[in-house]
Amino acid sequence: MNQPENRPYYTPFLEKYIGFLSTLLKWVFLGALIGVIVGSTSALLLNTNDFLTDVREANAFLILFLPVGGGIIGYIYKYYGMGSRRGNDLVLEHIHHGQGSIPIRMGPIVFICTFISHLLGGSTGREGAAIQMGASISEGVNRLFKINKIDRRILIISGISGGFGSAFGAPLAGTVFGMEVVALGKMKYEAIVPCFVASLVGHLVSTAWGVKHDHFLFENIPAITSTTLIQVALVSIIFSLASVLYSQIRHEIKRLSDKYLNQDLVLRGVVGGIILVALVYITGTRDYLGRGLPMVEEAFKSDVPTFAFLAKIIFTAITMGFGFRGGEVIPLFFIGATLGNTLSNFINLPASFLAGVGLIAVFCGAANTPISCFLFSLEMFNGKGKTYFFIACLVSYIFSGNHGIYGAQKIYSPKS
Amino acid sequence: MNQPENRPYYTPFLEKYIGFLSTLLKWVFLGALIGVIVGSTSALLLNTNDFLTDVREANAFLILFLPVGGGIIGYIYKYYGMGSRRGNDLVLEHIHHGQGSIPIRMGPIVFICTFISHLLGGSTGREGAAIQMGASISEGVNRLFKINKIDRRILIISGISGGFGSAFGAPLAGTVFGMEVVALGKMKYEAIVPCFVASLVGHLVSTAWGVKHDHFLFENIPAITSTTLIQVALVSIIFSLASVLYSQIRHEIKRLSDKYLNQDLVLRGVVGGIILVALVYITGTRDYLGRGLPMVEEAFKSDVPTFAFLAKIIFTAITMGFGFRGGEVIPLFFIGATLGNTLSNFINLPASFLAGVGLIAVFCGAANTPISCFLFSLEMFNGKGKTYFFIACLVSYIFSGNHGIYGAQKIYSPKS
């Protein structure tokens, strides 16, 4: 309307086109930058975790230092945390409200505390550390390039995607994980380009750093019939309830330890460590310490203890509820795979297949990210059994209601 | 707060739980009901289309009746359509606004007109017919059970999912197609249960009716390197622009034929038929009539004419723009696969792989449903090359901007 007469008629098209291309290039550039850094830190995280797990397994006495380690972690967060103690929830809230800032030190601190947790045998994984590092790095990029408020949130989501994609070797699931995890029942399409670039580049970079990912295989997949479809739907309800059980126990332990020991984060960590050590001696096994990957593999091959899933729920809820660091996704894999194996005694489906369904469904019920979890099943199991996994993700997502491990997930639309 | 004292403490949980289960059962029941009916009508659609295509190919003179057929279609919509002429757009608008109602006759009418189009050689497919029949059936279910306003929209979305899933033998893509197609940049998570049930049951039922789906195979997939990833991203821009070209030509032809011939739908159909017959004699080939599946197969195996994609764009835009019926997805597959084959002369990637990428990317650019198109690639190519297809869908989605075949798609968030 206000267009000067002497501009050629195609100017607005050209301007629109240039605007589009420059926005796109911006996202590709920033996403790739985040991907390169996050991919490298994820490689550091994974390789160090592997190394520390080996050290712990070779030195049985190390677990006796769990109370000391818990105390040190509490000390670090108390005096140097600057609010980063709230971890994933802080990141999610920041994306919702866009107020304040994410402390850049959140990344390095969560890495150090994750290393301590792994060295001493806390039952934990990696996803929290990877996500928080991803968010910290994105925040660094935001400050460096003085990114505006709206774009900042998108880049923090990309940091989550980059962290997840590189930490689990699953670039497609990573892309959608960032877009889905922020709010329950909503997908942030506007973040799709930088999320994908960060996740894929992060994966390629961590692979280039020599990271190898665990792949679990199931022997055979039942042919699709109405019976098998209904069976998978029904067991997925059980998996979903297991995820709810875990989320609730963990929140409750955290609530209680916050209530009685929050004044003294150091004491809290010490108490958590003592409980873990006591549990190891009461149960007489170390199978539920650390990531527990050997038993996850076992669940795909032969039998596991009937209540292994319950033991892992308790070990992990205590580890995370008392302030140790790492992540909950690998413990959730453990819980799901062992529960699936146990259920194969009652249901006429192959144990390794049920372990696979359980691994995905328990993760999905806890994270509330159905499309991402489905993509993860494709990437982990190479596209096998996709209809079953879709059902498992859907059912688990629906039945976990508004429970989940990410307390700050916004509830955008109720599930039913 | 107002809770009477004499109610046991667990009553609210119980009520919530029963409410949840009854909602869930409602969606499963209604979704399955829609799935059974839509799966059966889709089977009728596909088997009849196959039969009519055989009849047409055996009787070369039939195409001379295209003007008559066009006139009959115009006549039917003019005197019996009750507004259903606007087809897919009417369905989408109805979901947005929830006002008025979808005429139930929309389904039967679009089927009859699709049969006429296929018998006489219009360049068309099936997705419009399947979607409109799905929506009609959902509307019937809505009226039968006196469903409330909010749930009605969800069931119409489920009808779209059921139609797509059963018409293309792709239950996962069908589920998400309904959830994604309604609005650009938004996914309707609240519809996920009935969409999935309708799509899966629809697929199982149409399979039980003996429907077989075409599967195209590519010989080999290039190993993932930065070079191949970038190559796929770049060709996907070209595919995206081809989808924009198609959408724009089709809209323009429709606009012109609306402008000059809208007063007389019969004349409009006759003119469209005459143009198509003329085009056949000018080009001297019938390869661009009907669905054209033989040339799609050819594109995965050997060479196709360099400008086959352009010919199909023109034939289809005229067919659809002048009021013939069927669908645009299979013509889009044709355009993408032949363009991919053509591009293999310039790019160092296998022709059959590029045909597959083109098939998916052109469809995605036109439908603006990236997750659904990606799932479709998994279902059609059995999970092969998933990272490439994800890139192709993403790039094509982004570069097609706000262009697409569904004019009534709501723009929820701009793409970049």
Side-chain angles (χ1 to χ4, degrees), chain A residues 35-302:
Chain A
V36 169
I37 309 174
V38 175
S40 304
T41 56
S42 287
L44 174 71
L45 176 73
L46 270 64
N47 290 334
T48 311
N49 280 353
D50 282 349
F51 170 73
L52 295 174
T53 302
D54 291 345
V55 171
R56 173 175 63 80
E57 283 170 356
N59 299 279
F61 67 91
L62 276 172
I63 72 147
L64 297 174
F65 288 89
L66 267 168
V68 179
I72 294 173
I73 291 171
Y75 185 85
I76 293 174
Y77 275 102
K78 187 169 180 177
Y79 293 104
Y80 302 100
M82 287 180 68
S84 55
R85 187 164 89 78
R86 303 203 35 258
N88 292 346
D89 283 344
L90 181 70
V91 176
L92 296 185
E93 280 176 12
H94 186 72
I95 296 169
H96 295 316
H97 309 301
Q99 301 295 327
S101 65
I102 292 175
I104 291 190
R105 58 176 67 185
M106 171 189 255
I109 288 183
V110 79
F111 265 41
I112 293 168
C113 296
T114 298
F115 296 153
I116 295 173
S117 303
H118 276 270
L119 176 68
L120 304 177
S123 171
T124 191
R126 63 176 75 134
E127 131 279 351
I131 286 176
Q132 289 164 46
M133 180 56 96
S136 287
I137 288 166
S138 295
E139 185 68 359
V141 169
N142 282 332
R143 291 189 198 172
L144 187 66
F145 291 95
K146 299 194 173 55
I147 305 287
N148 70 50
K149 267 199 174 181
I150 296 168
D151 289 0
R152 278 184 68 199
R153 299 188 196 189
I154 289 181
L155 281 189
I156 294 172
I157 296 174
S158 314
I160 297 178
S161 284
F164 192 95
S166 59
F168 291 98
L172 308 186
T175 304
V176 177
F177 185 80
M179 293 158 61
E180 260 188 334
V181 76
V182 177
L184 205 153
K186 190 177 176 184
M187 181 156 351
K188 296 236 165 223
Y189 272 82
E190 64 270 32
I192 196 169
V193 173
C195 281
F196 176 64
V197 175
S199 185
L200 180 66
V201 171
H203 169 60
L204 295 175
V205 167
S206 72
T207 308
W209 280 109
V211 165
K212 298 252 181 304
H213 293 280
D214 313 293
H215 279 276
F216 306 107
L217 296 173
F218 38 81
E219 292 134 27
N220 43 17
I221 306 154
I224 293 186
T225 65
S226 341
T227 315
T228 56
L229 291 173
I230 291 169
Q231 280 178 314
V232 168
L234 292 179
V235 295
S236 299
I237 297 179
I238 302 175
F239 292 131
S240 181
L241 297 179
S243 82
V244 172
L245 183 66
Y246 169 72
S247 302
Q248 292 309 92
I249 292 181
R250 198 265 267 165
H251 285 308
E252 193 58 21
I253 287 177
K254 188 162 181 310
R255 197 183 64 80
L256 289 175
S257 77
D258 272 357
K259 187 173 171 187
Y260 294 109
L261 301 167
N262 196 10
Q263 300 305 315
D264 197 339
L265 287 184
V266 181
L267 179 63
R268 182 164 171 258
V270 172
V271 171
I274 291 172
I275 298 177
L276 282 176
V277 175
L279 271 180
V280 168
Y281 284 96
I282 292 168
T283 58
T285 171
R286 292 164 181 241
D287 285 345
Y288 308 107
L289 294 178
R291 293 169 299 186
L293 290 176
M295 198 182 280
V296 181
E297 267 173 45
E298 224 25 50
F300 280 85
K301 282 182 198 152
S302 58

Side-chain angles (χ1 to χ4, degrees), chain B residues 32-46:
Chain B
L33 181 64
I34 291 173
V36 168
I37 309 175
V38 174
S40 304
T41 56
S42 287
L44 174 71
L45 177 73
L46 269 64

